[in-house]
């Protein structure tokens, strides 16, 4: 009983001491609570934000895909000679309903099935030829194709417009079947059918006559019931490949007619028999991006494996073939996400490192600030366990409610996302914040402390253990950089795999290595600066450098450096990433358009359009070109075709050369396309600017053929690209040279421009758009700015870019916080020093300079090191980082890191400005305190 009372009394005394200690320093307690709340909020919100943006990107990809690729679809054949079951039994309603129920059960979680979006039925396996001569035929030799469809609940999904619903009774023997059907009004109008009309379909051994008994209108035209199968609500114009070179594509109409479910046996009389189909729609809002791999595995298991076997046994319809569209859609999204994930992980790791080091810095500074108090405890008999326990209770009393509040706020603000990543992240930062002070105090006061001399960085002793740790870290960083350059940031594999955290942490590790080197080299510049400061007449420089050389401890000096360097590197490296994305989009847009704007027409541009374009606001230069697609280049000596499908451009060489030089796409001298003296006649070889692949196949002379024009050319200039053409072999000729060689083409449609390439830094897009009517015009206007903006339309790219910017800004915020914490740690000592020096006659101006000289060396070195680290990271990491997916540009236009001076210098400049502002504020506060103390009584 006595022991229990003592325990309760001890706990009560500890609790009373905790609250007394917190009331004694409310400012520090509130600051710690605010820091932990913000950090816990960031740790909990960031994973959920990433989940949310990935979910939105996946759902957008699914929503924008064709409907057939959004469904889990399966088909099975019902033909004679197929499954052992009689095909006539497979197409009857009982068998269809049983197979539909088995299919519905097979589509199981994690596939979020929409039970109201399921549709099934049966139709003829291949559309049958409608042989009546009265049907419209876009291509006279092609007959329309018809699908007879039987789907359940037709009356519930449609309204009867006229006539009656079809009956289920079949008449006539095989080869002379008669069946009833209904059509939609759009189908009846296009195919010129009315209620009561009949049409014939070609079958296996005769014809099947279909009688139209009525017209039905869809109740919900956009519903999956009407869109899962093609041509249900209206006919579709189908195209066939041209039968030969130079032939036009052939077209035919495909339409559907609905029959009763009891009349499905008529489908077996048609060619290729019948086909059962099932479509299961998914709830787009229930699709989770982190389940993509599991979704693909589930879909694959329906094709092969135990699930496929169970489905076939339950459905009893034979082998089921699934549509691969949804699987390919998920695989494509997974590849894009895998390409973006390493960059997001880089920013996330940088932010996490900055946040954790700030929490560690807070605990270490708190332990250093209370070193005398903790030493007194130990000298009076306090155990390490009791010391750490009291400090843990003190931090937990403030930190746990703050962390809980920050985490709860993050969960409320970010409703989308998983808890499984948010809560552990918040728990980790909470544990770091709570245990840093107790652990640091326990390690420092393992033995009773005695007063010691002040530490001097210029004369500090080097620890072997510290040297081993530093060498190990540097070796790890070198290995990581080598691996990153060789393997890239992805995890490898066909689908990209998951990113390697060690490789994505390369910028952070690089900053860590530089921080270790900087701490080692920090005394060297101080020693160099101390010598001239000692010879100066004034005491400010010498005193400032002497105080800068003394640090409370290596941890207190190293953690601010590490935090600032990591944050500066992440911020500056993030700036290079964003600059690379912006430059990549700009280059890709310029390459796609060829200039700041491009106006195309399939025919010759009128003089009125040319005059209006030249007068438009912002147009500085216009290059008029004539473009021929599909030209043929034949070697004149051997007669061998050097290239087919070549894009031939006839341009005014002076303006076109200016454009090529301005854009950087195959710059050339304008005189290179001028023909030599005495040139003339159709047999004269004209100088041409030729693409490199085409030049390798051409001899000295070649014949170029385009519709209405044949010329002899030779490759005068060879370039990899040119503004007017993208992604194809090209050949550029001078218009004046062509007209000189072929006088009959002068001012004709063969050489007159059908495309304009416009240049100007401030083009009036609205004025140019007025030249292109919305309807009834063949003119096409492409703007470089619109093309550039289209690369950021995707939710995946735009969301990842926003999160990257947010992580970089948050890391910069933690860097600023580290600066303020390091300054606040020594603020009382500085204020006391200035007060003493003021009483000794030190002017205010010299007091401000003293604070700046004392503190700025560390921040200046950190800023310079941060800039140099970020600058070095660009060439080191460029081979392993591909920004193409994040930029959203085509794969043919790869995007890499770009060095941006503003992105490198701005974070460091902001850091120095913040440090100077904080020091000046401290000097002002010290001056006011000194003035109050010096006032006469």
């Amino acid at each position: 009983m006595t022991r229990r009372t003592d325990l309760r009394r001890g706990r009560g005394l500890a609790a009373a001491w905790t609250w007394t200690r917190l009331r004694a320093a409310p400012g520090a307690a509130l600051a710690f609570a605010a820091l932990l709340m913000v950090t816990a909020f960031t740790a909990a919100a960031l994973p959920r934000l990433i989940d949310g943006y990935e979910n939105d990107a996946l759902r957008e990809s699914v929503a924008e895909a064709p409907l057939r690729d959004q469904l889990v679809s399966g088909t099975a054949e019902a033909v004679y000679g197929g499954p052992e079951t009689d095909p006539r039994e497979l197409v009857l309603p009982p068998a269809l309903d049983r197979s539909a129920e088995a299919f519905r059960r097979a589509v199981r979680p994690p596939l979020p099935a929409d039970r109201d979006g399921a549709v099934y039925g049966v139709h003829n396996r291949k559309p049958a030829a409608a042989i009546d001569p009265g049907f419209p035929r876009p291509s006279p030799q092609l007959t329309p194709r018809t699908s007879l469809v039987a789907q359940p609940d037709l009356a519930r999904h449609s309204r009867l417009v006229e006539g009656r619903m079809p009956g289920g009774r079949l008449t006539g023997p095989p080869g002379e079947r008669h069946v009833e059907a209904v059509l939609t009004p759009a189908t009846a109008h296009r195919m010129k059918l009315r209620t009561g009309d009949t049409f014939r379909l070609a079958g296996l051994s005769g014809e099947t006559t279909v009688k139209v008994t009525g017209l039905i209108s869809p109740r919900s035209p956009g519903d999956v019931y009407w869109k899962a199968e093609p041509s249900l609500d209206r006919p579709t114009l189908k195209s066939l490949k041209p039968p030969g070179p130079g032939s036009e594509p052939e077209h035919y109409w495909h339409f559907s007619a609905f029959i009763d479910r009891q009349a499905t046996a008529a489908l077996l009389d048609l060619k290729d028999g019948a086909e059962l189909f099932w479509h299961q729609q998914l709830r787009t809002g229930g699709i989770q991006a982190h389940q993509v791999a599991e979704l693909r595995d589930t879909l694959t298991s329906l094709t092969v494996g135990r699930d496929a076997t169970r489905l076939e046994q339950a459905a009893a319809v034979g082998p089921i073939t699934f549509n691969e569209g949804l699987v390919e859609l998920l695989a494509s999204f997974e590849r894009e996400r895998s390409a973006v994930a390493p960059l997001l992980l880089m920013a996330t790791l940088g932010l996490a490192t900055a946040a954790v080091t700030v929490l560690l810095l807070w605990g270490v500074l708190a332990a250093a600030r209370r070193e005398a108090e903790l030493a007194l405890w130990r000298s009076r008999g306090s155990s390490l366990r009791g010391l750490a326990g009291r400090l843990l209770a003190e931090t937990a009393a403030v930190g746990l409610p703050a962390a809980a509040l920050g985490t709860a706020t993050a969960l409320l603000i970010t409703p989308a996302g998983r808890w499984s990543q948010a809560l552990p992240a918040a728990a980790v930062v909470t544990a770091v914040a709570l245990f840093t002070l107790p652990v640091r105090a326990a390690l420092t006061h393992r033995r009773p402390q005695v007063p010691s001399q002040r530490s001097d960085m210029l004369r500090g002793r080097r620890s072997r253990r510290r040297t081993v740790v530093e060498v190990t870290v540097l070796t790890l960083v070198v290995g990581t950089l080598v691996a990153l350059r060789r393997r890239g940031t992805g995890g490898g594999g066909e689908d990209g795999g998951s990113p390697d955290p060690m490789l994505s942490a390369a910028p952070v590790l690089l900053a860590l290595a530089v921080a270790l080197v900087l701490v080692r080299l920090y005394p060297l510049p101080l020693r160099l600066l101390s010598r001239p400061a000692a010879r100066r007449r004034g005491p400010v420089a010498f005193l400032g450098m002497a105080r800068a050389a003394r640090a409370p401890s290596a941890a207190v000096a190293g953690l601010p450096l590490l935090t600032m360097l990591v944050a500066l590197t992440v911020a500056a490296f993030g700036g290079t990433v964003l600059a690379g994305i912006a430059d990549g989009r700009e280059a890709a847009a310029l390459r796609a358009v060829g200039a700041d704007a491009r106006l195309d027409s399939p025919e010759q541009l009128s003089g009125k359009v040319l005059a209006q374009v030249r007068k438009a606001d912002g147009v500085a230069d216009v290059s008029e070109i004539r473009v021929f697609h599909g030209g043929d280049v034949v070697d004149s000596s051997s007669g061998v075709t050097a290239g087919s499908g070549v894009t031939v451009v006839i341009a005014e060489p002076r303006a076109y050369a200016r454009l090529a030089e301005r854009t950087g796409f195959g710059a050339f001298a304008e005189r290179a396309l001028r023909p030599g003296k005495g040139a003339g006649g159709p047999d004269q070889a004209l100088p041409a600017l030729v693409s490199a692949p085409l030049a390798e196949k051409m001899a000295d002379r070649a014949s170029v053929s385009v519709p209405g024009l044949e010329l002899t050319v030779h490759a005068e200039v060879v370039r990899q690209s040119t503004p007017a053409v993208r992604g194809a072999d090209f050949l550029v000729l001078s218009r004046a040279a062509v007209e000189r060689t072929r006088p009959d083409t002068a001012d004709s449609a063969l050489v007159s421009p059908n495309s304009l390439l416009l240049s100007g830094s401030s083009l009036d897009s609205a004025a140019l758009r007025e030249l292109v009517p919305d309807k009834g015009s063949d003119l096409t206007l492409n703007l470089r700015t619109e093309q550039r903006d289209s690369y950021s339309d995707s939710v995946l790219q735009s969301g990842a870019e926003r999160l990257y910017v947010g992580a970089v800004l948050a890391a910069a915020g933690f860097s600023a916080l580290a600066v303020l914490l390091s300054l606040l740690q020594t603020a009382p000592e500085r204020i006391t020093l200035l007060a003493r020096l003021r009483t000794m006659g030190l002017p205010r101006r010299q007091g401000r300079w003293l604070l700046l000289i004392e503190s700025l060396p560390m921040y200046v070195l950190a800023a310079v090191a941060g800039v140099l680290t970020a600058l070095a990271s660009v060439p080191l990491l460029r081979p392993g980082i591909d920004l193409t997916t994040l930029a959203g540009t085509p794969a043919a236009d790869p995007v890499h890191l770009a060095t941006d001076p503003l992105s490198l210098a701005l974070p460091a400049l902001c850091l120095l400005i913040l440090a100077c502002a904080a020091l000046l504020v401290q000097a002002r506060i010290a001056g006011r305190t000194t003035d109050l103390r010096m006032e006469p009584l």
Side-chain angles (χ1 to χ4, degrees):
M1 186 69 181
T2 303
R3 183 180 181 184
R4 183 178 300 176
T5 303
D6 292 340
L7 289 175
R8 291 177 179 175
R9 183 179 302 172
R11 294 173 183 173
L13 291 174
W17 175 88
T18 300
W19 292 114
T20 302
R21 186 66 184 82
L22 293 177
R23 286 196 301 269
L30 292 177
F32 174 69
L35 173 62
L36 184 52
M37 183 175 65
V38 171
T39 309
F41 173 85
T42 304
L46 186 59
R48 290 170 65 84
L49 287 175
I50 294 176
D51 274 353
Y53 111 85
E54 288 183 346
N55 291 340
D56 292 341
L58 176 59
R59 292 163 188 172
E60 183 197 45
S61 300
V62 174
E64 292 181 351
L67 181 62
R68 289 298 297 268
D69 293 342
Q70 303 178 28
L71 306 175
V72 182
S73 302
T75 58
E77 299 178 0
V79 296
Y80 292 106
E84 298 179 359
T85 308
D86 188 351
R88 289 173 295 183
E89 297 181 3
L90 295 180
V91 299
L92 292 178
L96 280 174
D97 296 340
R98 183 177 62 251
S99 63
E101 179 63 21
F103 191 87
R104 184 187 66 83
R105 292 179 178 178
V107 182
R108 54 179 175 79
L111 292 171
D114 183 3
R115 300 309 176 191
D116 296 332
V119 61
Y120 63 95
V122 60
H123 56 194
N124 44 315
R125 185 161 167 256
K126 293 184 179 179
I131 58 179
D132 289 73
F135 284 129
R137 300 187 180 188
S139 297
Q141 66 276 16
L142 294 181
T143 60
R145 301 290 191 270
T146 307
S147 294
L148 298 182
V149 184
Q151 292 184 176
D153 301 327
L154 179 63
R156 184 166 62 88
H157 289 86
S158 63
R159 289 188 295 267
L160 186 63
V161 177
E162 66 178 40
R164 62 176 177 84
M165 299 298 288
R169 182 169 173 268
L170 295 178
T171 59
E176 299 179 2
R177 294 284 193 188
H178 288 72
V179 63
E180 297 179 349
V182 291
L183 307 174
T184 62
T187 302
H189 174 74
R190 173 60 64 184
M191 305 312 299
K192 300 179 180 180
L193 292 172
R194 297 180 180 178
T195 301
D197 290 348
T198 60
F199 59 91
R200 294 170 298 154
L201 303 178
L204 288 173
S205 57
E207 299 175 355
T208 297
T209 303
V210 182
K211 180 179 181 181
V212 180
T213 63
L215 302 180
I216 58 173
S217 176
R219 293 185 182 272
S220 300
D223 192 71
V224 66
Y225 188 92
W226 295 95
K227 295 299 182 181
E229 289 294 314
S231 310
L232 289 185
D233 56 346
R234 62 184 64 251
T236 304
L237 187 64
K238 302 289 185 178
S239 300
L240 295 179
K241 293 181 179 180
S247 302
E248 295 293 330
E250 297 180 340
H251 307 279
Y252 67 91
W253 286 107
H254 172 245
F255 67 97
S256 298
F258 292 89
I259 64 176
D260 189 84
R261 299 183 68 198
Q262 299 295 334
T264 51
L267 301 176
L268 300 175
D269 294 336
L270 300 177
K271 187 178 180 181
D272 298 313
E275 183 180 66
L276 287 70
F277 61 86
W278 307 269
H279 302 292
Q280 177 62 62
Q281 191 175 24
L282 302 181
R283 290 184 291 104
T284 305
I287 299 178
Q288 303 291 329
H290 67 273
Q291 294 180 329
V292 168
E294 192 176 355
L295 293 174
R296 290 180 59 194
D297 293 341
T298 303
L299 291 172
T300 304
S301 68
L302 294 176
T303 305
V304 293
R306 292 183 302 175
D307 291 341
T309 303
R310 293 172 182 172
L311 175 58
E312 291 182 8
Q313 293 176 352
V317 293
I320 297 177
T321 303
F322 279 84
N323 180 27
E324 298 292 333
L326 184 58
V327 177
E328 292 298 328
L329 179 65
L330 296 176
S332 176
F333 172 80
E334 196 170 12
R335 287 191 293 268
E336 292 184 6
R337 186 182 64 170
S338 298
V340 172
L343 296 170
L344 275 183
L345 185 58
M346 279 187 177
T348 303
L349 290 176
L351 174 58
T353 304
V356 170
T357 50
V358 166
L359 293 177
L360 292 174
L361 179 61
W362 177 277
V364 170
L365 293 179
R369 186 174 62 252
R370 301 173 59 179
E371 184 173 359
E373 174 190 351
L374 301 178
L376 181 61
W377 286 6
R378 286 288 286 152
S379 65
R380 292 189 175 183
S382 176
S383 64
L384 284 179
R385 181 177 179 182
L387 177 68
R390 288 194 175 188
L391 292 178
L392 179 60
E394 180 183 336
T395 56
V398 178
L400 287 179
L405 180 60
T407 305
T409 305
L411 297 179
L412 291 176
I413 292 179
T414 56
R418 291 168 289 174
W419 295 49
S420 58
Q421 291 184 343
L423 293 182
V428 167
V429 298
T430 303
V432 171
L434 297 183
F435 284 93
T436 300
L437 175 57
V439 172
R440 175 63 181 172
L443 293 177
T444 305
H445 298 276
R446 293 190 303 273
R447 298 179 181 84
Q449 301 291 311
V450 296
S452 60
Q453 295 180 352
R454 292 177 298 178
S455 60
D456 194 331
M457 296 187 68
L458 299 183
R459 298 179 177 85
R461 297 177 59 186
R462 298 183 178 182
S463 170
R464 294 182 179 179
R465 186 179 303 174
R466 177 183 169 189
T467 303
V468 171
V469 172
E470 291 174 348
V471 172
T472 303
V473 172
L474 292 177
T475 304
L476 178 63
V477 170
V478 172
T480 301
L481 293 177
V482 172
L484 179 62
R485 291 175 63 88
R486 289 183 177 179
R487 294 166 44 190
T489 53
E494 183 179 356
D495 294 331
S498 58
D500 189 340
M502 286 296 292
L503 297 179
S504 298
V508 174
L509 293 177
L510 186 60
L512 175 61
V514 174
L516 295 177
V517 175
L518 184 59
V519 172
R520 282 286 188 178
L521 299 179
Y522 185 59
L524 179 60
L526 293 181
R527 185 178 294 112
L528 296 177
L529 293 175
S530 297
R531 292 175 181 176
R535 291 192 293 266
R536 292 182 63 87
R537 296 180 59 183
V540 176
F542 172 75
L543 183 58
M545 295 307 303
R547 288 184 55 81
R550 293 185 173 91
S553 66
V556 175
L559 279 175
L561 284 175
L562 175 60
T563 306
M564 288 184 287
L565 267 177
V566 168
L568 285 176
T569 303
V570 171
F573 182 78
T576 62
V577 170
L578 298 177
I581 292 173
D583 293 346
R585 287 173 177 169
E586 195 73 31
L590 185 60
R591 192 174 291 108
V593 178
D596 294 321
R598 179 167 182 162
L599 186 66
D600 292 305
S601 174
E603 304 295 337
Q604 176 183 353
L605 288 170
S606 65
K608 179 181 178 181
V609 173
L610 294 176
Q612 290 177 338
V613 168
R614 290 187 177 275
K615 294 179 181 179
D617 293 339
V619 176
D621 197 4
V622 179
S623 178
E624 302 176 2
I625 60 175
R626 176 72 187 188
V627 181
F628 294 95
H629 298 285
D632 294 326
V633 179
V634 179
D635 190 350
S636 299
S637 58
S638 63
V640 178
T641 300
S644 59
V646 178
T647 301
V648 179
V649 179
I650 299 178
E652 197 283 312
R654 180 174 301 176
Y656 193 74
R658 290 197 303 266
L659 177 64
E661 183 178 2
R662 187 182 304 113
T663 59
F665 298 145
F668 65 97
E670 175 261 339
R671 61 179 179 274
L673 296 185
R674 296 176 184 172
K677 295 183 179 180
D683 295 334
Q684 174 65 34
L686 300 180
L689 187 152
V690 185
S691 61
L694 180 61
E696 295 177 356
K697 304 175 185 177
M698 291 175 55
D700 294 336
R701 295 166 60 95
S703 175
V704 179
S705 300
V706 295
L709 187 63
E710 184 172 351
L711 299 168
T712 302
V713 301
H714 71 275
E716 180 70 21
V717 182
V718 179
R719 294 292 184 266
Q720 294 291 339
S721 61
T722 194
V725 184
R726 170 184 168 87
D729 285 336
F730 57 84
L731 189 147
V732 182
L733 299 172
S734 169
R735 176 178 176 178
V738 173
E739 291 179 342
R740 184 176 178 180
T741 303
R742 291 281 305 271
D744 58 310
T745 64
D747 297 328
S748 67
L750 291 176
V751 295
S752 297
N754 64 351
S755 181
L756 301 178
L757 297 175
L758 315 179
S759 300
S761 58
S762 57
L763 291 177
D764 188 352
S765 58
L768 294 175
R769 284 292 178 194
E770 292 180 357
L771 302 177
V772 185
D774 294 337
K775 297 180 180 180
S777 176
D778 294 331
L779 295 178
T780 302
L781 177 64
N782 292 321
L783 297 173
R784 177 181 54 81
T785 55
E786 295 181 354
Q787 184 70 27
R788 180 194 60 204
D789 295 340
S790 68
Y791 295 139
S792 60
D793 287 343
S794 171
V795 174
L796 189 66
Q797 281 88 21
S798 60
E801 188 175 358
R802 286 195 299 269
L803 285 174
Y804 195 95
V805 172
V808 169
L809 293 178
F814 279 107
S815 174
L817 190 58
V819 172
L820 295 178
L821 287 178
S822 61
L823 290 175
L824 289 175
Q825 165 66 15
T826 54
E829 183 182 355
R830 289 196 187 95
I831 293 175
T832 303
L833 174 65
L834 287 182
R836 292 174 179 173
L837 294 177
R838 283 281 290 141
T839 59
M840 298 171 62
L842 184 71
R844 289 185 179 180
R845 183 178 180 182
Q846 291 186 359
R848 289 192 292 266
W849 278 110
L850 175 63
L851 293 187
L852 293 176
I853 295 174
E854 172 190 351
S855 302
L856 281 184
M858 182 176 69
Y859 300 113
V860 171
L861 289 177
V864 173
V867 172
L868 295 179
T869 304
L871 185 63
S873 66
V874 174
L876 287 175
L877 304 180
R878 182 185 285 123
I881 296 179
D882 186 6
L883 303 177
T884 306
T885 303
L886 188 60
T889 56
D893 300 319
V895 181
H896 300 288
L897 294 174
T899 303
D900 183 31
L902 182 61
S903 300
L904 295 173
L906 186 60
L909 183 62
C910 292
L911 176 67
L912 293 178
I913 292 175
L914 177 63
C916 291
L919 290 171
L920 292 177
V921 170
Q922 286 187 7
R924 188 175 182 84
I925 294 175
R928 288 183 177 181
T929 304
T930 305
D931 292 340
L932 290 176
R933 292 178 180 177
M934 294 177 61
E935 288 182 359
L937 298 177

